[in-house]
Amino acid sequence: MPLPECRPGHREQNGGVIAYSRRSLRRGGRDNSPQPPTGRLRSLFRPRSVAGQVFLLQVVIAVLIVAAALIALVLQAGDDSTKDARERSLGIAETLAYAPDTLKAMTGPDPPKVLQPVAEKIMKGADVDLVVIYSKDGIRYTHANPAFIGKPVLGARRPPHSAITQTLRTTQGRAVVSYVPVTRPGGQAVGTVAVAITVQKVESTAGRQLPVLLGTAAGALVLAAGGTALVSRRLLRQTHGLGPAEMTRMYDHHDAVLHAVREGVLIVGGDGRLLLANDEALRLLELPPDAEGHKVTDLPLDADIAELLTSERTASDEVHLTADRLLAVNKRPTAPYGGYAGSVVTLRDTTELRALSGRADVARERLKLLYDAGVKIGTTLDVWRTAQELADVAVPGFADIVTVELAEEVLSGQEPTGAINEARRAAVRGRPGYRSLVEVGQRLSFAPSTPQARCAETGRGVLEADLMTARKWRAADPDRARRVLERGIHSLIAVPLRARGTVLGVVDFWRCRQGESFDEEDVPFAEELAARAAVALDNARRYTREHTMAVTLQRSLLPRALPELSALDVAYRYLPAQAGVGGDWFDVIELSGARVALVVGDVVGHGLHAAATMGRLRTAVHNFSTLDLAPDELLGRLDDLVARLDRGGAAGGKEGDREEGLTGATCLYAVYDPSSGACSLARAGHPPPALVATDGAVTFPDLPAGPPLGLGGLPFEAVELRLPEGSRLVLYTDGLVEDRERDIGAGLELLRAALARPGRSPEQTCQAVLDALPPDHASDDIALLVARTRVLDPALVADWDVPRDPAAVSRVRADVARQLKDWALEDASFTTELVLSELVTNAIRYGSDPIHVRLLRDRKLICEVSDGSSTSPHLRYAATTDEGGRGLFLVARYAERWGTRYTPTGKVIWTEQCPHGGAAPADGAAGEDLLDQWSDDAL
């Protein structure tokens, strides 16, 4: 049905319209003004009000009761009619079946003639619908329709054993049929009597009673409606015409005010009695639960609160002290707003608000402290620095003193192996003026009963709120405990530094006398702070382990000490970058003929891979240098090696198993010959060397750059320079002259200025260079190698041209003997003659012109025999029956080192011996045999 038009004084709610006067709207839906009888009647029948709904509900219930009674009566009448019909049909059937005349007629000659008149008389007199008598074979003797006489009945034809009654549905309605057998005196059935009657004939009796029943029901309904109207009218006055939704809302509001709000509410009547007090008011004023109904003056209240409640004045946020609380009180009268005369009072606990405000400030400070911890802890990958950052963050925001103890394994980058029974002080921080009992770096041991050991064992923070009463802590180390307490420290929280399931150490938070003690609420914060710091410490530990491994690998791959050289005075510096271990390297390699190779290289990148690559390249340079290759040829072979390694790494099986490429490595290789002062240099993408003359002039030789190693495609070129004695050759990596804030041109100028001073030793030169180009914030490794040249005295060099004649061997031996006598090396004469005789003999027999012998006196006695052939001799072991083939074996036996180097015109076979005597054989007999063999072979 359409909704009524909304007008002022109406409000739609829950799909309907509830009528309110303007005054009732102002008063929250209640209207206390008197209503005329017609208005009350309209309100009574308005279904939106509680009274109207109750009235309608009771009327409906009364109607339903009357209807149910009528239905029950009708059903009962129908059941009674069926029962009467069954009894009537069964009685007629039994009477007829048990009559002696019926048995006599059925056994007579013409049963239908005798029985049909009797059946018709019964149907008319007893008001039944059908009387059928049939034989035991089912042949009808009687029927209402004479045409059916003599015909068999349908269905079961045999007589029943006893009387039965059935209810059937027929075209005339519901009917009841009774079957009774007709039996002889001996019990043998001769036929059946069936009597049928419709129930409708019996129901006419109940129909005559229905008007009386309807009248009685109507009277009862009228009485019920009247009583309901009286009850609903009284309910209407008490509910003021409110609907159920509005009453529910008002009840919810009332319940919320009384129980849900965190504010006390009191209602005091005009007679000074407490009418209402919610739970919060009872708690704040500490009133008994049965305080309602008592006079305010009889309640256990403070005088000023009682005076305010009983007075007529109003109050707005007046603060009163009651019990141990500060209450803000508001009071207003209720009479102007309807209802009974009195006042309503609200109470607010400002003490708890202040406490909550203080706790909120503490929580805000804690959150800020955790934020600072995330920003300030772990700024570096240094374990010591990270531990100190933890201590710095927690003081003074959380603790007065913070100490951090870490396991020894953590400080060295290893995994802690067990319980933290011993640790090392890694950091300490206290308020100004605090001096630690244990300095950073000292060892500490923790007894099992100490908070530190307990927290490390359980993995949770341990609180000692009052150290004065902590007996286990004091008993573990009485002397230290006494000194701690003497400094005013009274409270402790020990928290394990736990990361990835491993305890790295312990952090202790201490408070002094002027501060508050720690409590249980402080432990979770301390654990959170320690957990964040533990992750940073573990990262630093893992980095320390990786860095230590890389540094160890790098140091094992770099030269541990430089060889003692007569040709050069060498000094070096190696400084790793801040980013970690890199791939820069240097080397000083002794070559034959008193020559020296200087090497500086650089592998792009940092870490273990760069260090391992550097070791591979350094080893390759060492191997190639033993072949006495020229610098350009050596770099060419090194370039081929790097290219093969790159191809092998790129062809790895799985993509994750492929090695990083080596392309990007650079190298500078120089060979200095002190006998001539010549220096041959070649570079592969490396910065050029610096040459400092004896007068301090600095030049950068124009040396072809060449491509970095591994690129291939371009040959390397070597340049030969003549270096005066006392000049300095400076080799370096690009990390020295180039960084993020300075290009390589500016770096070379700074290097030139640092080198431009004569008279410096190599050590002084290295220091001057690092002072001018400080590596404090270097992003790349720095390798610096300074070599000051020396030239051999010509008097220490002797050489002879040897004709290709076997007789010249004896002359060479004589010349060598005289030269060794002049050098006061007679002790080496025998061995030297032996070695040179064999080498010269081989050159004459198997070499080609020109044949030349050179003898150098350096730290070693060096013998060189050169010829024009490029065929190198090979050492072999001759059989006992062989006449020759023992020459090189003798050379290898008596010389400390020997080898072959190739020149543009042939080859040089060289040996090195101790200047004061040859290498003697292992036993004298063997030496004599060798001497005999040599004598026969040489002569």
Side-chain angles (χ1 to χ4, degrees), residues 760-783:
R760 284 178 174 168
S761 66
E763 284 288 342
Q764 293 172 339
T765 303
C766 288
Q767 190 60 46
V769 169
L770 295 183
D771 291 341
L773 292 91
D776 297 339
H777 302 287
S779 59
D780 197 3
D781 298 345
I782 294 175

PDB file of all heavy atoms in Angstrom, residues 760-783:
ATOM      1  N   ARG A 760     115.721  10.746  -3.981  1.00  0.00           N
ATOM      2  CA  ARG A 760     114.877   9.929  -3.110  1.00  0.00           C
ATOM      3  C   ARG A 760     115.132   8.445  -3.339  1.00  0.00           C
ATOM      4  O   ARG A 760     115.377   8.000  -4.473  1.00  0.00           O
ATOM      5  CB  ARG A 760     113.399  10.217  -3.356  1.00  0.00           C
ATOM      6  CG  ARG A 760     112.915  11.527  -2.750  1.00  0.00           C
ATOM      7  CD  ARG A 760     111.462  11.720  -3.095  1.00  0.00           C
ATOM      8  NE  ARG A 760     110.885  12.886  -2.440  1.00  0.00           N
ATOM      9  CZ  ARG A 760     109.699  13.403  -2.761  1.00  0.00           C
ATOM     10  NH1 ARG A 760     108.997  12.857  -3.736  1.00  0.00           N
ATOM     11  NH2 ARG A 760     109.249  14.453  -2.126  1.00  0.00           N
ATOM     12  N   SER A 761     115.043   7.716  -2.270  1.00  0.00           N
ATOM     13  CA  SER A 761     115.108   6.265  -2.383  1.00  0.00           C
ATOM     14  C   SER A 761     113.745   5.747  -2.821  1.00  0.00           C
ATOM     15  O   SER A 761     112.732   6.458  -2.767  1.00  0.00           O
ATOM     16  CB  SER A 761     115.494   5.650  -1.036  1.00  0.00           C
ATOM     17  OG  SER A 761     114.441   5.880  -0.086  1.00  0.00           O
ATOM     18  N   PRO A 762     113.659   4.491  -3.254  1.00  0.00           N
ATOM     19  CA  PRO A 762     112.342   3.941  -3.621  1.00  0.00           C
ATOM     20  C   PRO A 762     111.339   3.978  -2.478  1.00  0.00           C
ATOM     21  O   PRO A 762     110.155   4.264  -2.703  1.00  0.00           O
ATOM     22  CB  PRO A 762     112.682   2.503  -4.031  1.00  0.00           C
ATOM     23  CG  PRO A 762     114.071   2.582  -4.544  1.00  0.00           C
ATOM     24  CD  PRO A 762     114.751   3.596  -3.673  1.00  0.00           C
ATOM     25  N   GLU A 763     111.759   3.706  -1.238  1.00  0.00           N
ATOM     26  CA  GLU A 763     110.843   3.788  -0.108  1.00  0.00           C
ATOM     27  C   GLU A 763     110.318   5.196   0.071  1.00  0.00           C
ATOM     28  O   GLU A 763     109.129   5.420   0.294  1.00  0.00           O
ATOM     29  CB  GLU A 763     111.538   3.313   1.173  1.00  0.00           C
ATOM     30  CG  GLU A 763     111.683   1.810   1.287  1.00  0.00           C
ATOM     31  CD  GLU A 763     110.347   1.142   1.562  1.00  0.00           C
ATOM     32  OE1 GLU A 763     109.404   1.833   2.003  1.00  0.00           O
ATOM     33  OE2 GLU A 763     110.233  -0.072   1.326  1.00  0.00           O
ATOM     34  N   GLN A 764     111.212   6.183  -0.003  1.00  0.00           N
ATOM     35  CA  GLN A 764     110.794   7.581   0.129  1.00  0.00           C
ATOM     36  C   GLN A 764     109.874   7.980  -1.011  1.00  0.00           C
ATOM     37  O   GLN A 764     108.915   8.747  -0.818  1.00  0.00           O
ATOM     38  CB  GLN A 764     112.023   8.479   0.177  1.00  0.00           C
ATOM     39  CG  GLN A 764     112.871   8.301   1.422  1.00  0.00           C
ATOM     40  CD  GLN A 764     114.184   9.057   1.336  1.00  0.00           C
ATOM     41  OE1 GLN A 764     114.654   9.398   0.243  1.00  0.00           O
ATOM     42  NE2 GLN A 764     114.794   9.318   2.501  1.00  0.00           N
ATOM     43  N   THR A 765     110.152   7.459  -2.185  1.00  0.00           N
ATOM     44  CA  THR A 765     109.293   7.782  -3.329  1.00  0.00           C
ATOM     45  C   THR A 765     107.888   7.228  -3.130  1.00  0.00           C
ATOM     46  O   THR A 765     106.886   7.907  -3.404  1.00  0.00           O
ATOM     47  CB  THR A 765     109.908   7.205  -4.611  1.00  0.00           C
ATOM     48  OG1 THR A 765     111.232   7.728  -4.770  1.00  0.00           O
ATOM     49  CG2 THR A 765     109.067   7.572  -5.817  1.00  0.00           C
ATOM     50  N   CYS A 766     107.776   5.985  -2.652  1.00  0.00           N
ATOM     51  CA  CYS A 766     106.444   5.405  -2.404  1.00  0.00           C
ATOM     52  C   CYS A 766     105.656   6.231  -1.403  1.00  0.00           C
ATOM     53  O   CYS A 766     104.459   6.527  -1.601  1.00  0.00           O
ATOM     54  CB  CYS A 766     106.589   3.974  -1.895  1.00  0.00           C
ATOM     55  SG  CYS A 766     107.123   2.783  -3.138  1.00  0.00           S
ATOM     56  N   GLN A 767     106.309   6.649  -0.321  1.00  0.00           N
ATOM     57  CA  GLN A 767     105.622   7.431   0.692  1.00  0.00           C
ATOM     58  C   GLN A 767     105.200   8.787   0.165  1.00  0.00           C
ATOM     59  O   GLN A 767     104.104   9.284   0.458  1.00  0.00           O
ATOM     60  CB  GLN A 767     106.516   7.575   1.924  1.00  0.00           C
ATOM     61  CG  GLN A 767     105.800   8.155   3.126  1.00  0.00           C
ATOM     62  CD  GLN A 767     104.617   7.300   3.555  1.00  0.00           C
ATOM     63  OE1 GLN A 767     104.735   6.078   3.642  1.00  0.00           O
ATOM     64  NE2 GLN A 767     103.478   7.936   3.794  1.00  0.00           N
ATOM     65  N   ALA A 768     106.062   9.415  -0.621  1.00  0.00           N
ATOM     66  CA  ALA A 768     105.729  10.716  -1.187  1.00  0.00           C
ATOM     67  C   ALA A 768     104.532  10.622  -2.130  1.00  0.00           C
ATOM     68  O   ALA A 768     103.664  11.508  -2.149  1.00  0.00           O
ATOM     69  CB  ALA A 768     106.942  11.290  -1.915  1.00  0.00           C
ATOM     70  N   VAL A 769     104.477   9.562  -2.915  1.00  0.00           N
ATOM     71  CA  VAL A 769     103.352   9.396  -3.842  1.00  0.00           C
ATOM     72  C   VAL A 769     102.050   9.220  -3.079  1.00  0.00           C
ATOM     73  O   VAL A 769     101.020   9.831  -3.404  1.00  0.00           O
ATOM     74  CB  VAL A 769     103.618   8.199  -4.771  1.00  0.00           C
ATOM     75  CG1 VAL A 769     102.353   7.849  -5.560  1.00  0.00           C
ATOM     76  CG2 VAL A 769     104.754   8.513  -5.724  1.00  0.00           C
ATOM     77  N   LEU A 770     102.041   8.398  -2.034  1.00  0.00           N
ATOM     78  CA  LEU A 770     100.807   8.183  -1.273  1.00  0.00           C
ATOM     79  C   LEU A 770     100.410   9.420  -0.486  1.00  0.00           C
ATOM     80  O   LEU A 770      99.213   9.650  -0.242  1.00  0.00           O
ATOM     81  CB  LEU A 770     100.971   6.995  -0.331  1.00  0.00           C
ATOM     82  CG  LEU A 770     101.179   5.636  -1.008  1.00  0.00           C
ATOM     83  CD1 LEU A 770     101.257   4.530   0.038  1.00  0.00           C
ATOM     84  CD2 LEU A 770     100.064   5.341  -1.996  1.00  0.00           C
ATOM     85  N   ASP A 771     101.381  10.229  -0.075  1.00  0.00           N
ATOM     86  CA  ASP A 771     101.037  11.481   0.600  1.00  0.00           C
ATOM     87  C   ASP A 771     100.397  12.465  -0.362  1.00  0.00           C
ATOM     88  O   ASP A 771      99.495  13.229   0.013  1.00  0.00           O
ATOM     89  CB  ASP A 771     102.291  12.095   1.225  1.00  0.00           C
ATOM     90  CG  ASP A 771     102.811  11.272   2.389  1.00  0.00           C
ATOM     91  OD1 ASP A 771     102.022  10.463   2.925  1.00  0.00           O
ATOM     92  OD2 ASP A 771     103.991  11.425   2.747  1.00  0.00           O
ATOM     93  N   ALA A 772     100.848  12.469  -1.603  1.00  0.00           N
ATOM     94  CA  ALA A 772     100.302  13.416  -2.584  1.00  0.00           C
ATOM     95  C   ALA A 772      98.961  12.948  -3.136  1.00  0.00           C
ATOM     96  O   ALA A 772      98.121  13.770  -3.501  1.00  0.00           O
ATOM     97  CB  ALA A 772     101.303  13.610  -3.725  1.00  0.00           C
ATOM     98  N   LEU A 773      98.769  11.646  -3.227  1.00  0.00           N
ATOM     99  CA  LEU A 773      97.508  11.095  -3.713  1.00  0.00           C
ATOM    100  C   LEU A 773      96.931  10.206  -2.615  1.00  0.00           C
ATOM    101  O   LEU A 773      97.035   8.976  -2.665  1.00  0.00           O
ATOM    102  CB  LEU A 773      97.713  10.277  -4.990  1.00  0.00           C
ATOM    103  CG  LEU A 773      98.127  11.057  -6.233  1.00  0.00           C
ATOM    104  CD1 LEU A 773      99.645  11.135  -6.342  1.00  0.00           C
ATOM    105  CD2 LEU A 773      97.555  10.433  -7.495  1.00  0.00           C
ATOM    106  N   PRO A 774      96.333  10.794  -1.580  1.00  0.00           N
ATOM    107  CA  PRO A 774      95.887   9.995  -0.416  1.00  0.00           C
ATOM    108  C   PRO A 774      94.818   8.983  -0.817  1.00  0.00           C
ATOM    109  O   PRO A 774      93.846   9.324  -1.483  1.00  0.00           O
ATOM    110  CB  PRO A 774      95.318  11.058   0.542  1.00  0.00           C
ATOM    111  CG  PRO A 774      94.974  12.217  -0.328  1.00  0.00           C
ATOM    112  CD  PRO A 774      95.967  12.209  -1.457  1.00  0.00           C
ATOM    113  N   PRO A 775      94.979   7.753  -0.407  1.00  0.00           N
ATOM    114  CA  PRO A 775      94.018   6.693  -0.767  1.00  0.00           C
ATOM    115  C   PRO A 775      92.968   6.442   0.296  1.00  0.00           C
ATOM    116  O   PRO A 775      92.456   5.328   0.395  1.00  0.00           O
ATOM    117  CB  PRO A 775      94.934   5.475  -0.922  1.00  0.00           C
ATOM    118  CG  PRO A 775      95.988   5.704   0.110  1.00  0.00           C
ATOM    119  CD  PRO A 775      96.176   7.205   0.232  1.00  0.00           C
ATOM    120  N   ASP A 776      92.655   7.441   1.134  1.00  0.00           N
ATOM    121  CA  ASP A 776      91.743   7.196   2.259  1.00  0.00           C
ATOM    122  C   ASP A 776      90.374   6.715   1.801  1.00  0.00           C
ATOM    123  O   ASP A 776      89.738   5.890   2.453  1.00  0.00           O
ATOM    124  CB  ASP A 776      91.588   8.471   3.097  1.00  0.00           C
ATOM    125  CG  ASP A 776      92.916   8.880   3.729  1.00  0.00           C
ATOM    126  OD1 ASP A 776      93.785   7.997   3.843  1.00  0.00           O
ATOM    127  OD2 ASP A 776      93.083  10.065   4.077  1.00  0.00           O
ATOM    128  N   HIS A 777      89.891   7.276   0.703  1.00  0.00           N
ATOM    129  CA  HIS A 777      88.555   6.909   0.225  1.00  0.00           C
ATOM    130  C   HIS A 777      88.644   6.306  -1.170  1.00  0.00           C
ATOM    131  O   HIS A 777      87.782   6.546  -2.015  1.00  0.00           O
ATOM    132  CB  HIS A 777      87.646   8.138   0.209  1.00  0.00           C
ATOM    133  CG  HIS A 777      87.509   8.793   1.544  1.00  0.00           C
ATOM    134  ND1 HIS A 777      86.775   8.240   2.570  1.00  0.00           N
ATOM    135  CD2 HIS A 777      88.055   9.935   2.038  1.00  0.00           C
ATOM    136  CE1 HIS A 777      86.847   9.030   3.637  1.00  0.00           C
ATOM    137  NE2 HIS A 777      87.624  10.067   3.339  1.00  0.00           N
ATOM    138  N   ALA A 778      89.700   5.527  -1.417  1.00  0.00           N
ATOM    139  CA  ALA A 778      89.891   4.946  -2.737  1.00  0.00           C
ATOM    140  C   ALA A 778      88.805   3.922  -3.027  1.00  0.00           C
ATOM    141  O   ALA A 778      88.456   3.109  -2.185  1.00  0.00           O
ATOM    142  CB  ALA A 778      91.264   4.292  -2.825  1.00  0.00           C
ATOM    143  N   SER A 779      88.267   3.975  -4.239  1.00  0.00           N
ATOM    144  CA  SER A 779      87.255   3.016  -4.662  1.00  0.00           C
ATOM    145  C   SER A 779      87.863   1.859  -5.435  1.00  0.00           C
ATOM    146  O   SER A 779      87.142   0.952  -5.848  1.00  0.00           O
ATOM    147  CB  SER A 779      86.209   3.722  -5.533  1.00  0.00           C
ATOM    148  OG  SER A 779      86.828   4.316  -6.673  1.00  0.00           O
ATOM    149  N   ASP A 780      89.181   1.889  -5.653  1.00  0.00           N
ATOM    150  CA  ASP A 780      89.863   0.817  -6.366  1.00  0.00           C
ATOM    151  C   ASP A 780      91.179   0.516  -5.662  1.00  0.00           C
ATOM    152  O   ASP A 780      91.716   1.342  -4.912  1.00  0.00           O
ATOM    153  CB  ASP A 780      90.118   1.234  -7.816  1.00  0.00           C
ATOM    154  CG  ASP A 780      90.428   0.045  -8.707  1.00  0.00           C
ATOM    155  OD1 ASP A 780      90.385  -1.091  -8.198  1.00  0.00           O
ATOM    156  OD2 ASP A 780      90.718   0.248  -9.901  1.00  0.00           O
ATOM    157  N   ASP A 781      91.685  -0.680  -5.918  1.00  0.00           N
ATOM    158  CA  ASP A 781      92.960  -1.052  -5.323  1.00  0.00           C
ATOM    159  C   ASP A 781      94.090  -0.179  -5.877  1.00  0.00           C
ATOM    160  O   ASP A 781      93.988   0.395  -6.965  1.00  0.00           O
ATOM    161  CB  ASP A 781      93.269  -2.522  -5.609  1.00  0.00           C
ATOM    162  CG  ASP A 781      92.236  -3.438  -5.003  1.00  0.00           C
ATOM    163  OD1 ASP A 781      91.472  -2.971  -4.154  1.00  0.00           O
ATOM    164  OD2 ASP A 781      92.198  -4.617  -5.386  1.00  0.00           O
ATOM    165  N   ILE A 782      95.173  -0.126  -5.115  1.00  0.00           N
ATOM    166  CA  ILE A 782      96.352   0.633  -5.536  1.00  0.00           C
ATOM    167  C   ILE A 782      97.566  -0.282  -5.410  1.00  0.00           C
ATOM    168  O   ILE A 782      97.829  -0.842  -4.328  1.00  0.00           O
ATOM    169  CB  ILE A 782      96.551   1.901  -4.679  1.00  0.00           C
ATOM    170  CG1 ILE A 782      95.399   2.882  -4.906  1.00  0.00           C
ATOM    171  CG2 ILE A 782      97.892   2.558  -5.003  1.00  0.00           C
ATOM    172  CD1 ILE A 782      95.472   4.098  -4.014  1.00  0.00           C
ATOM    173  N   ALA A 783      98.259  -0.457  -6.517  1.00  0.00           N
ATOM    174  CA  ALA A 783      99.535  -1.172  -6.522  1.00  0.00           C
ATOM    175  C   ALA A 783     100.587  -0.208  -7.055  1.00  0.00           C
ATOM    176  O   ALA A 783     100.419   0.372  -8.138  1.00  0.00           O
ATOM    177  CB  ALA A 783      99.463  -2.423  -7.388  1.00  0.00           C
TER     178      ALA A 783
END
